[in-house]
Amino acid sequence: MTLQGWFLILGFVALLLALTKPVGIWLFTLYEGRRTPLHVVLGPVERGFYKLAGIDPTVEQGWRRYALHMLLFNATLMAFTYAVLRLQGVLPGNPQGLAGLSPNLAFNTAISFTTNTNWQSYGGESTMSNLSQMLGLTIHNFLSAATGIALAFALFRGFARRESKAIGNFWADVTRVTLYVLLPISIVYALFLIASGVPQTMAGVVEVQTLEGAKQSLLLGPVASQEAIKMLGTNGGGFFNANSAHPFENPTALTNLMQMLSIFLIGFGLTWTFGKAVGNPRQGWAILSAMVILFLAGVTITYAQEAAGSPVLHHLGVTGGNMEGKEVRFGIAASALFSVVTTAASCGAVNSMHDSFTALGGLVPLFNMQLGEVVIGGVGAGIYGFLLFAILAVFVAGLMVGRTPEYVGKKIEAREVKLAVLAIAVLPLMILGLTALSSVLAQGLAGPLNRGPHGFSEILYAFTSAVGNNGSAFAGLTANTPYYNGLLGVAMWVGRFFIIVPMLAIAGGLAAKKYTPESAGSFPTTGGLWIGLLVGIVLILGGLTFLPSLALGPIADHLAMISGKLS
Amino acid sequence: MGKDFSSALRPAIVMTILFTVLLGLVYPLAMTGIGQAIFPSQANGSLVRDARGTVVGSTVVGQAFTADRYFQTRPSAAGKGYDGLASSGSNLGPAARALVDRLKPDIARRRAEGVSGPIPADLVTASGSGLDPDLSPAAALAQTSRIARVRGVPDERVRKLVVDATDASILGEPHVNVLALNRALDALPGTGPSGARLR
Amino acid sequence: MAQTTQSRSRTRSLFTADLVVPAIKASFLKLDPRELVRNPVMFVTAAVAALMTVLLVIGQDDLSVGFKLQLVVWLWLTVLFGTFAEALAERRGKAQAASLRATKAELTAKRLNGDGRQFDNVPASQLKVGDIVLVETNDLIPSDGDVVSGVASVNEAAITGESAPVIREAGGDRSAVTAGTRVISDEIRVKVTVEPGKGFLDRMIALVEGAERQKTPNEIALTLLLVGLTIIFLIAVGTIPGFASYAGGSIPVAILAALLITLIPTTIAALLSAIGIAGMDRLVRFNVLAKSGRAVEAAGDIDVLLLDKTGTITIGDRQASEFRAVSGTSPRELADAALMASLADETPEGRSIVLLARERFHVATAGLPADAEIIPFTAQTRISGVKVGGSLIQKGAVDSILRANAGSGETAAATELRRITDEIARAGGTPLAVALDGRLLGAIFLKDVVKAGIRERFGELRAMGIRTVMITGDNPLTAAAIAAEAGVDDFLAQATPEDKLELIRKEQTGGRLVAMCGDGTNDAPALAQADVGVAMNTGTQAAREAGNMVDLDSDPTKLIEVVGLGKQLLMTRGALTTFSVANDVAKYFAIIPAMFVVLYPGLGVLNVMRLGSPESAILSAIIFNAVIIPCLVPLALRGVAYKPMAAGPLLARNLAVYGLGGLVAPFIGIKIIDLVVGGLGLA
């Protein structure tokens, strides 16, 4: 570890903390449905959309209606993308002349992008035409992110409202978030990326004659426009197979920093929005503090492990940290930081290959996802996931102050507990269940590239990433098979919507409740004690659930690595 | 619920179409237009051309250098090496036998070139993309004596090229762009002819 | 508060033979699956124990039979410890109920016929609502009801434990009688108001025995959480064989079973119903009868306490503290007159006037002359007094005195008297005017005496986030002065029952939970509206029906303690849940390395406790998991130590004790058990 490395990490966090409130205020304006300066330009577009679609944005929806419209919209988008991918061969915008995708890959990819996972069973440059990248994939990068933020708004309203039947209008939330947050930032961001060396063209392959006289084909395309929203919307689906490690996606150390910042930007801001929505920004800061503590702990472990490197390599005479799978322009610190950022959020973009991380360095990204990606988390999804943990934390410990547990003025009762447990139980059921299945079946065992416990980690990581809607991979796993495409597709769908629906039900129930004013007897949810409690509950619940799998994967792997035992 | 469902269908379909047009066509095409107008070089891949106008590479993307007279790039898992259509890392785990098997001959080769002491990690490890355009200064400096010997120039001149080309951004780690370095090498007066002409 | 509750609950030892032996018997009866299934976590435990018992006979693996046998025994013990905890709690309730049941056994009634003179002797169980029964001296009252005629003194010791008799009479607020209490003088006619078997005594017996126990809202929520955790751990353990298969090995079912049972929250699940029963029981020992567990829980959530001034904040009786004479009358003259008017007044107020006059002015009058004519207080005149030696001394409310003496209102003395009475009111006192033959002499300052220590008590409540509102019939001036002296947060002066109801509704609209106590029939709507309504046992039947708690001692101050008991119940649940979940960390560190060391020997490093052998580690974890239940039974039954304080420090303290303690304790416990197991050569 170097001083410069820590400067980067702490500077990164400091920058985000400085941006939290401004971003939070902007999001709060949209949460409230108020005008922004951008309405001058985009207001007509918004109104035009509503008019054509027959939507009255002022009509609020109860949670069931909100959920129905959300699900139907996502299903339509998914069907559309499936069609585009299957028909790629006959559609224009295909300079490489690539064929349509197989049904199972198209199924997997359509779900993947709809659910904000952006798991890629394929290599982008050899599979996707420019049109597919734009029409089939980029739209999801916007809309899955907007859906996540809309859902977070709905849950905020559940906490904030009193004896109300409605939790907002889904269409208004999605449209506003897309038009006034995601699109404008993406435009500026994409321009920055182009200036930094990210291609933006409709052309295809450029032939290069290298200095040594060999031929090299370089693929160009509309990369920057996709890259911007890929990071901002915590999507993570790269234009190229190597994702943000690819120099065309992430050419410099500065673009790398911007990519990391943009992954967390909205997630940080939403914590403030939540606090403001429930009438006390300190509630938001408390949640953010717990997240940042968990985040920094993860960074510390991964950075230390990667900087220390592999004893196996040291034994061969190689010095320094673990550079296998890392880019020189980023180095150890920026790669370790990126890996923790991308898995803490449900982004899944990678600037280095997690599969080649040291065992414990790779455990952190894995564990981040197993916690449900609630450390900052995906845009919207992170905070609503974290609030589910907060509900459980309040319930377990809240009784200890001798009152029916309350959180931000809402009593946490049987219904909330039941739904929160239901949502949280989806994680182990899908992750552990499908991993166990694949550890037994031949189709599953055919996947891993590495042998021994590391191969197990590859399977575990894949299902964890899919259920958590992350999309990063221990990429050695050969996942483009009907077996993995199918199961991972199901895992992504369940991991997204089987959490969302109970969460919306909680939002609806909370909105209908009375407000319980805070008093000296209320369970304190702002101070250090609460922050510690949140961290403890997240770690204990996550740790207890996943320790056996981690012991047989990364931990066994680590013990083998330090003892020099190859597999 | 049936009525709810059908009433939700129209917005779902219409909004899908509208957003697809806005986000899938208007946005990327507009960005392409603006990008091509303001930053034409970068938007088209930051390509590098030689005196005759032939594209010899991209400043941002790495290419394979295996000849002794050049600074050699890192091992690559992209296709058969630096394949621009198959970016990839090796994905080998830290204790994978396959990794050790790959490292051993590379390390032996460096030793044979006269690299003594610890070997810089990036020199023998594969990058994440397989298209890493850079080397760490240490990995470049470990190659100067071989290059100086092959090209018949003093080692210091080659070392100076490395030092001059080192980019020490505080955001990442110090690195040198290998293509730029090798072009500078070819431009050195009094060294051997460039690879293309030799062949 | 803490001392009171604890000293009361200590009055009975937890583990006496007469409690424990039947509880052990009952704990086996509770293994009935139909009963076990009400507690899903213990049901899973029992199912696993049964499965292991079967596998012990037919299963095949590499484990020694001795090891598996011990495992099976401890699994069953885990279940039995849980049923024992519940049985013990119920036993304690039953012991309490036994004496009540004895009372109830043979009640007979003298049911009056239509003419109201003749009666038949019938068993109490045949009485119907609306029947009129005659109860004579030394009869037991056969049913709950209202006195319709007559006055009697009744010994209610059977339900209150208080042997001093109370007066029950027709009409008014003292008309309610309770089945099982004994008339010790006179006779009354009682109208039956409840169906047989649904009376007060029946309810009380059922409640203390836990027979009618229904899960409270928080208990239901907690059970759901425990079920959720159980499901999650079922998944976590159930997938291990798949993972092990990847590593090329297999894990014996016995070890998976041990891991599962140590992980699922058996500790809190085993103690959950015992905590609930014990919570009700503590209330009963405190002579407060809650009609449902929900009411006890609501008591913990109370935000606003409505407290009657008289008897709760001030000692019941006002004391004369000063004589304020108008100009032209000496204080001594006023004192003389006041003394004469009060000699026949046997109310505490009257006595305090006599006392003050004697102390302050050494008035020596011993008693009234024989020819004195006493004018008693009536509700119409609102004046009392005495005619002695041809002169009339009157004493009463200022307005009444002025009204009674026509023309006196316009005198200068009247103006001055009004000023004096205003001053008295502002100082929190009640003025009592005195007139001699129609001449206004002045006023007696009757002072409300705020109870000692009540101010501190309200301070504690404030720190806990509970607002206190004083309810009084006094005028606002007096009320404000007393409120300030007592340190309540707010007051409601000249309160009518409608005002009370209004106030409760207002607070509830703001999301606050309200507790109050009351006794009169006109309190009934407010008692019903309040989240916690404590009816005084001396009160009317209507009040007792409307409230969700009844205080057998009829002590309104106990409302504060009731809140404390509610909080203690919730805290005990929370503390043991936290403890139970925190325990899992150490159990993991015992079992995971023991389980996986055959797959990857390197994982032995996770054996941070350095336990003797894999078998010993597993056995130690399962033993700890079982024995922790009986170890925590006393805590579950007594409740966690409770001190009134703000939520922040309270949480910090409980988290330190039960959270951190729950993390650390099993590391130590399992290590010690491991040493014992190793030493005895059990594994």
Side-chain angles (χ1 to χ4, degrees):
Chain A
M1 290 193 280
T2 61
L3 204 61
Q4 188 202 332
W6 277 111
F7 174 78
L8 172 72
I9 291 164
L10 297 177
F12 168 73
V13 173
L15 266 175
L16 281 165
L17 289 176
L19 288 168
T20 300
K21 190 174 169 185
V23 174
I25 290 175
W26 186 264
L27 289 166
F28 183 71
T29 311
L30 297 172
Y31 163 85
E32 294 263 271
R34 293 207 298 260
R35 272 180 76 85
T36 67
L38 288 175
H39 275 71
V40 179
V41 186
L42 293 167
V45 179
E46 184 191 350
R47 287 191 295 277
F49 273 34
Y50 295 150
K51 195 160 182 221
L52 287 170
I55 293 163
D56 181 352
T58 58
V59 174
E60 295 232 326
Q61 300 164 328
W63 77 264
R64 285 190 182 82
R65 242 181 132 70
Y66 199 100
L68 176 73
H69 286 235
M70 183 274 302
L71 283 172
L72 214 55
F73 184 47
N74 276 274
T76 312
L77 283 167
M78 194 187 94
F80 174 76
T81 293
Y82 181 81
V84 168
L85 297 180
R86 293 279 289 142
L87 298 173
Q88 172 173 281
V90 298
L91 290 172
N94 186 359
Q96 287 191 86
L98 297 165
L101 274 62
S102 71
N104 68 70
L105 181 57
F107 166 81
N108 180 287
T109 307
I111 290 185
S112 171
F113 278 75
T114 306
T115 56
N116 195 259
T117 312
N118 296 29
W119 169 273
Q120 294 166 293
S121 281
Y122 59 89
E125 51 268 61
S126 55
T127 317
M128 291 290 170
S129 71
N130 284 347
L131 188 79
S132 296
Q133 299 267 20
M134 286 160 39
L135 274 193
L137 307 184
T138 302
I139 57 163
H140 287 294
N141 286 355
F142 281 97
L143 297 175
S144 67
T147 298
I149 298 171
L151 292 167
F153 283 0
L155 183 58
F156 294 177
R157 292 190 187 107
F159 280 109
R161 291 187 172 177
R162 299 166 192 189
E163 298 167 72
S164 158
K165 285 202 172 92
I167 53 172
N169 180 305
F170 171 71
W171 299 110
D173 284 343
V174 159
T175 309
R176 285 173 190 150
V177 166
T178 307
L179 292 182
Y180 304 117
V181 183
L182 301 178
L183 189 58
I185 299 182
S186 294
I187 291 171
V188 178
Y189 190 7
L191 279 177
F192 159 77
L193 290 174
I194 299 172
S196 306
V198 179
Q200 179 71 21
T201 164
M202 289 299 143
V205 176
V206 176
E207 295 299 334
V208 172
Q209 181 160 25
T210 68
L211 283 195
E212 289 191 346
K215 287 252 180 276
Q216 186 188 30
S217 303
L218 295 180
L219 181 70
L220 305 176
V223 184
S225 58
Q226 185 176 334
E227 192 71 11
I229 186 62
K230 162 195 146 190
M231 310 310 292
L232 184 66
T234 62
N235 295 285
F239 197 92
F240 300 99
N241 185 45
N243 209 290
S244 281
H246 196 296
F248 271 159
E249 286 199 18
N250 191 5
T252 67
L254 179 63
T255 57
N256 190 59
L257 176 67
M258 290 300 286
Q259 296 209 344
M260 293 189 293
L261 287 173
S262 56
I263 292 175
F264 269 1
L265 185 69
I266 292 177
F268 267 65
L270 275 173
T271 60
W272 193 91
T273 310
F274 169 71
K276 180 72 180 167
V278 299
N280 181 2
R282 288 182 56 205
Q283 297 281 3
W285 288 115
I287 286 184
L288 185 59
S289 307
M291 289 174 165
V292 167
I293 289 169
L294 286 164
F295 168 69
L296 283 176
V299 172
T300 306
I301 295 173
T302 295
Y303 183 29
Q305 288 293 316
E306 294 307 300
S310 164
V312 174
L313 269 61
H314 293 163
H315 187 69
L316 295 172
V318 177
T319 185
N322 177 21
M323 282 301 287
E324 181 71 22
K326 293 190 182 66
E327 302 284 305
V328 170
R329 64 189 178 283
F330 308 140
I332 304 276
S335 299
L337 179 60
F338 197 111
S339 76
V340 181
V341 170
T342 196
T343 51
S346 86
C347 182
V350 295
N351 79 344
S352 52
M353 294 303 127
H354 295 181
D355 208 351
S356 296
F357 272 30
T358 58
L360 296 185
L363 181 146
V364 171
L366 184 55
F367 191 54
N368 269 340
M369 296 188 293
Q370 289 178 334
L371 296 180
E373 282 156 9
V374 296
V375 180
I376 311 303
V379 287
I383 186 140
Y384 68 64
F386 199 89
L387 288 172
L388 294 179
F389 275 102
I391 285 174
L392 289 191
V394 160
F395 189 79
V396 170
L399 284 173
M400 281 198 293
V401 302
R403 283 175 71 94
T404 299
E406 299 148 3
Y407 185 55
V408 294
K410 291 298 172 84
K411 284 205 186 317
I412 303 303
E413 293 166 298
R415 185 169 182 273
E416 287 71 41
V417 171
K418 181 174 66 185
L419 291 166
V421 166
L422 203 65
I424 287 175
V426 166
L427 291 171
L429 178 67
M430 295 303 286
I431 294 175
L432 297 176
L434 293 177
T435 303
L437 187 69
S438 305
S439 303
V440 179
L441 296 181
Q443 293 99 313
L445 290 169
L449 165 76
N450 287 276
R451 296 155 178 278
H454 197 77
F456 177 73
S457 299
E458 287 180 346
I459 300 177
L460 179 64
Y461 196 103
F463 286 110
T464 306
S465 172
V467 176
N469 297 143
N470 184 275
S472 70
F474 271 14
L477 187 81
T478 303
N480 190 7
T481 64
Y483 174 82
Y484 276 112
N485 276 337
L487 278 191
L488 288 168
V490 171
M492 290 185 278
W493 186 263
V494 172
R496 175 88 165 171
F497 295 107
F498 281 53
I499 291 176
I500 285 177
V501 174
M503 183 281 292
L504 277 177
I506 291 177
L510 288 174
K513 286 192 187 208
K514 275 187 185 172
Y515 174 77
T516 310
E518 232 184 301
S519 75
S522 306
F523 185 82
T525 55
T526 49
L529 199 61
W530 165 241
I531 294 168
L533 188 67
L534 276 176
V535 170
I537 287 279
V538 169
L539 284 182
I540 286 188
L541 271 186
L544 291 178
T545 314
F546 294 102
L547 188 66
S549 64
L550 293 174
L552 293 179
I555 296 174
D557 197 15
H558 173 75
L559 295 168
M561 184 187 86
I562 56 174
S563 66
K565 188 168 168 291
L566 302 182
S567 55
Chain B
M1 207 66 186
K3 191 173 143 282
D4 281 358
F5 187 85
S6 50
S7 74
L9 212 53
R10 176 177 163 201
I13 293 171
V14 176
M15 290 299 255
T16 298
I17 296 168
L18 292 175
F19 273 124
T20 302
V21 171
L22 177 70
L23 307 171
L25 294 175
V26 176
Y27 162 68
L29 292 175
M31 293 319 296
T32 306
I34 301 170
Q36 291 287 337
I38 314 181
F39 308 111
S41 166
Q42 294 97 315
N44 290 303
S46 310
L47 300 177
V48 182
R49 291 164 202 272
D50 66 9
R52 286 171 300 169
T54 312
V55 176
V56 296
S58 160
T59 56
V60 295
V61 178
Q63 55 182 249
F65 285 101
T66 53
D68 285 347
R69 65 185 181 284
Y70 280 130
F71 286 96
Q72 293 164 353
T73 38
R74 303 174 64 188
S76 163
K80 290 179 176 152
Y82 291 88
D83 182 342
L85 299 179
S87 62
S88 177
S90 75
N91 287 315
L92 292 172
R97 190 176 303 280
L99 175 64
V100 173
D101 290 348
R102 191 197 79 203
L103 284 167
K104 275 184 176 162
D106 279 356
I107 291 168
R109 191 157 57 86
R110 297 299 170 200
R111 294 287 181 218
E113 285 170 7
V115 179
S116 58
I119 292 173
D122 59 310
L123 192 56
V124 291
T125 51
S127 66
S129 61
L131 296 167
D132 195 339
D134 303 310
L135 282 175
S136 68
L141 291 172
Q143 302 187 46
T144 55
S145 64
R146 182 195 74 231
I147 294 165
R149 192 169 64 242
V150 172
R151 292 198 174 232
V153 292
D155 192 22
E156 300 80 67
R157 292 192 63 180
V158 185
R159 292 181 80 87
K160 185 169 183 307
L161 284 182
V162 174
V163 173
D164 291 348
T166 298
D167 180 351
S169 153
I170 56 158
L171 300 175
E173 285 180 21
H175 54 273
V176 279
N177 183 298
V178 185
L179 178 61
L181 194 57
N182 283 333
R183 278 166 61 85
L185 204 53
D186 279 352
L188 271 186
T191 71
S194 80
R197 268 172 282 145
L198 228 178
R199 192 164 292 186
Chain C
M1 200 179 306
Q3 285 148 355
T4 339
T5 51
Q6 277 179 8
S7 63
R8 274 170 187 266
S9 51
R10 277 204 198 99
T11 50
R12 171 168 234 125
S13 165
L14 287 175
F15 297 106
T16 55
D18 63 323
L19 287 178
V20 170
V21 174
I24 289 175
K25 273 188 209 149
S27 60
F28 281 92
L29 294 177
K30 281 174 178 287
L31 291 180
D32 182 340
R34 284 165 302 181
E35 190 156 345
L36 267 183
V37 80
R38 288 176 27 169
N39 187 337
V41 180
M42 295 318 283
F43 184 76
V44 168
T45 311
V48 169
L51 174 73
M52 291 313 302
T53 313
V54 174
L55 287 182
L56 184 64
V57 183
I58 62 163
Q60 295 196 329
D61 51 44
D62 298 337
L63 300 171
S64 77
V65 176
F67 171 70
K68 283 194 289 184
L69 183 65
Q70 293 184 65
L71 219 50
V72 166
V73 168
W74 283 107
L75 287 176
W76 280 117
L77 281 175
T78 310
V79 181
L80 283 172
F81 287 155
T83 53
F84 172 74
E86 187 177 311
L88 184 63
E90 286 175 359
R91 262 298 131 189
R92 277 156 54 83
K94 285 208 172 84
Q96 182 96 358
S99 56
L100 297 171
R101 197 183 287 285
T103 316
K104 190 178 172 277
E106 290 300 325
L107 288 180
T108 55
K110 295 170 179 167
R111 186 169 63 192
L112 289 167
N113 294 328
D115 61 0
R117 293 174 204 280
Q118 302 294 313
F119 61 81
D120 305 326
N121 274 311
V122 295
S125 57
Q126 288 179 9
L127 291 175
K128 294 189 182 60
V129 175
D131 285 349
I132 311 277
V133 295
L134 174 70
V135 191
E136 294 170 303
T137 306
N138 278 330
D139 284 351
L140 285 172
I141 296 173
S143 167
D144 291 7
D146 283 323
V147 180
V148 288
S149 71
V151 182
S153 55
V154 178
N155 181 340
E156 298 194 335
I159 51 169
T160 64
E162 175 61 57
S163 56
V166 292
I167 300 296
R168 293 290 179 223
E169 61 193 343
D173 288 351
R174 295 173 169 216
S175 62
V177 289
T178 310
T181 55
R182 188 180 297 276
V183 171
I184 53 177
S185 73
D186 305 304
E187 62 172 55
I188 47 176
R189 285 175 166 73
V190 174
K191 186 175 182 180
V192 174
T193 53
V194 297
E195 296 286 343
K198 291 187 179 161
F200 198 62
L201 204 58
D202 303 286
R203 273 211 305 260
M204 190 158 168
I205 291 170
L207 277 163
V208 294
E209 283 187 332
E212 265 183 26
R213 218 175 74 80
Q214 284 183 327
K215 283 185 175 163
T216 58
N218 274 312
E219 210 177 342
I220 292 169
L222 189 51
T223 305
L224 283 169
L225 177 73
L226 300 182
V227 169
L229 288 175
T230 305
I231 292 171
I232 289 175
F233 287 127
L234 268 170
I235 297 166
V237 175
T239 49
I240 287 176
F243 304 164
S245 138
Y246 178 94
S250 69
I251 308 288
V253 180
I255 292 178
L256 293 172
L259 179 62
L260 177 67
I261 298 307
T262 51
L263 289 184
I264 63 175
T266 47
T267 313
I268 176 65
L271 298 173
L272 194 54
S273 56
I275 295 169
I277 296 169
M280 292 286 274
D281 192 39
R282 271 198 299 281
L283 211 54
V284 170
R285 274 156 213 275
F286 203 59
N287 268 359
V288 174
L289 181 58
K291 293 190 187 164
S292 70
R294 185 186 284 259
V296 187
E297 250 174 29
D301 287 347
I302 288 304
D303 300 289
V304 182
L305 276 183
L306 303 191
L307 297 169
D308 281 325
K309 181 198 76 175
T310 307
T312 308
I313 294 169
T314 61
I315 57 174
D317 311 310
R318 285 175 283 215
Q319 308 271 322
S321 71
E322 211 177 323
F323 296 107
R324 297 234 180 131
V326 296
S327 327
T329 306
S330 72
R332 166 81 199 223
E333 206 176 336
L334 173 61
D336 274 339
L339 177 80
M340 292 302 283
S342 303
L343 276 172
D345 183 353
E346 281 302 312
T347 65
E349 285 171 13
R351 284 201 294 268
S352 78
I353 295 171
V354 174
L355 200 66
L356 183 72
R358 286 192 176 140
E359 270 180 8
R360 193 69 58 83
F361 297 103
H362 308 287
V363 182
T365 319
L368 288 171
D371 64 339
E373 185 191 334
I374 296 161
I375 302 165
F377 179 88
T378 68
Q380 283 75 38
T381 62
R382 299 173 64 82
I383 289 175
S384 64
V386 66
K387 257 187 196 151
V388 57
S391 54
L392 169 67
I393 306 174
Q394 290 168 304
K395 178 185 81 173
V398 179
D399 291 341
S400 309
I401 295 286
L402 291 180
R403 214 181 304 122
N405 299 284
S408 64
E410 286 77 45
T411 61
T415 315
E416 199 186 350
L417 184 65
R418 286 206 182 85
R419 186 181 51 75
I420 291 171
T421 56
D422 266 4
E423 276 171 21
I424 294 173
R426 217 169 330 224
T430 306
L432 211 53
V434 180
L436 175 62
D437 290 333
R439 184 166 67 92
L440 300 176
L441 299 180
I444 308 164
F445 190 145
L446 288 179
K447 192 173 165 27
D448 261 315
V449 181
V450 172
K451 285 187 175 176
I454 200 82
R455 198 183 170 83
E456 290 68 34
R457 189 67 81 79
F458 292 147
E460 283 172 6
L461 288 171
R462 199 169 303 114
M464 289 158 65
I466 298 173
R467 227 157 50 84
T468 44
V469 180
M470 181 180 83
I471 307 291
T472 171
D474 293 343
N475 66 58
L477 283 178
T478 313
I482 298 171
E485 191 184 343
V488 292
D489 297 296
D490 206 347
F491 63 88
L492 185 64
Q494 285 168 344
T496 62
E498 294 74 33
D499 292 341
K500 255 196 216 185
L501 191 60
E502 177 73 8
L503 177 66
I504 294 173
R505 291 220 172 103
K506 200 184 95 208
E507 293 288 354
Q508 286 173 334
T509 310
R512 283 171 283 268
L513 268 65
V514 183
M516 66 163 288
C517 54
D519 52 5
T521 300
N522 54 14
D523 280 331
L527 279 171
Q529 179 72 31
D531 300 281
V532 173
V534 181
M536 300 296 105
N537 191 44
T538 52
T540 59
Q541 189 67 19
R544 295 198 326 200
E545 288 296 328
N548 48 12
M549 290 190 193
V550 176
D551 178 12
L552 302 176
D553 297 339
S554 304
D555 170 7
T557 322
K558 282 210 295 200
L559 196 51
I560 301 172
E561 271 85 352
V562 167
V563 169
L565 285 172
K567 285 193 178 298
Q568 194 187 23
L569 172 67
L570 294 178
M571 278 165 52
T572 307
R573 270 195 211 129
L576 289 178
T577 307
T578 307
F579 186 84
S580 186
V581 172
N583 270 202
D584 278 3
V585 175
K587 294 174 196 164
Y588 249 136
F589 276 100
I591 295 188
I592 291 278
M595 184 157 80
F596 289 155
V597 78
V598 289
L599 303 175
Y600 298 111
L603 287 173
V605 298
L606 293 180
N607 180 6
V608 291
M609 285 174 270
R610 300 279 138 229
L611 304 178
S613 69
E615 288 78 15
S616 161
I618 290 161
L619 210 51
S620 303
I622 201 91
I623 292 175
F624 178 85
N625 190 59
V627 298
I628 195 72
I629 296 171
C631 290
L632 290 175
V633 162
L635 185 66
L637 296 188
R638 284 198 182 120
V640 302
Y642 168 72
K643 260 200 211 140
M645 56 169 118
L650 194 61
L651 179 64
R653 201 192 64 159
N654 284 337
L655 262 186
V657 176
Y658 300 100
L660 289 184
L663 275 179
V664 174
F667 277 101
I668 300 166
I670 290 174
K671 178 69 190 173
I672 292 172
I673 295 170
D674 174 70
L675 292 174
V676 174
V677 166
L680 296 176
L682 296 174

